[in-house]
Amino acid sequence: MPPDPAGPVAVPGARPAYPTHRAHPAHRAAAPPVRLLTVLHDPACPLCRHLGGWLRRQRQLVPLEFVAVASAEARARFPGVDHDAALGEITVVADTGEVWTGHHAFVTCLWALADHRPLAHRLSTPAGLPLARAAAFAAAKYRAATRGKAVPGVEGAPGPASRPRSGPGEWPGPGEWPGPGCDGGVCRVPG
């Protein structure tokens, strides 16, 4: 099966961080384990800030760190990454040198989380990849439409913080969603 052009960037000895359904156990045993994943995120993107906050609150089997995409730090640490392209889609870099973009990066983030690793395995199959691809595409389109808009109350955004939630399942009430166009509990979709 030919490699997916939107999948991991070709790096000598690279392999997916998340074992695919066709990966041979001998190949997985020979490769070094992934011990850290760096998510290149866009701090000017409301969706990126929200999802980054969500990822930070999850129990992680593989630690996730977040570095602003195209920042001086990101360019110094990952000179082989196309940072301009990474501004348009999620990019994840492993401590082993592998780089994932788009839907593969999305699945890799889920793979790092204790409660979502089974979902990552399902999404890494031929039947699941179209769903992962659609989710990454939708996020990229939303990201492009909202890029650079400040959303008060969202992690990393300027402005007053939103009220604390009492539990992980509690959602804001009508009119409490942060962001442009959310008057009266009805939010318009950008674009």
Side-chain angles (χ1 to χ4, degrees):
M1 172 188 274
D4 185 334
V9 173
V11 175
R15 61 169 175 64
Y18 54 91
T20 63
H21 69 289
R22 295 177 192 244
H24 190 274
H27 295 144
R28 284 196 311 263
V34 173
R35 298 186 193 284
L36 176 69
L37 292 170
T38 302
V39 180
L40 299 179
H41 73 101
D42 183 355
C45 165
L47 180 63
C48 301
R49 289 191 304 267
H50 175 76
L51 293 177
W54 180 81
L55 286 168
R56 286 178 183 95
R57 290 188 303 273
Q58 304 304 305
R59 192 166 52 95
Q60 300 172 5
L61 296 174
V62 176
L64 295 171
E65 70 173 354
F66 298 83
V67 174
V69 68
S71 66
E73 178 185 359
R75 290 182 190 278
R77 288 180 57 189
F78 310 112
V81 170
D82 182 348
H83 293 275
D84 294 329
L87 281 167
E89 63 183 342
I90 183 173
T91 302
V92 175
V93 183
D95 61 336
T96 56
E98 291 116 327
V99 177
W100 295 270
T101 60
H103 61 284
H104 291 287
F106 170 69
V107 172
T108 301
C109 285
L110 291 175
W111 175 83
L113 305 177
D115 295 335
H116 299 284
R117 187 167 279 187
L119 175 60
H121 285 286
R122 287 191 301 275
L123 290 175
S124 70
T125 67
L129 274 177
L131 180 60
R133 191 175 294 118
F137 178 77
K141 293 301 269 184
Y142 180 85
R143 184 176 172 192
T146 60
R147 188 178 157 120
K149 295 183 180 174
V151 181
V154 176
E155 182 176 316
S162 59
R163 69 175 177 80
R165 312 256 190 282
S166 64
E170 184 180 331
W171 291 91
E176 292 180 337
W177 286 102
C182 294
D183 298 323
V186 178
C187 299
R188 62 176 161 69
V189 178

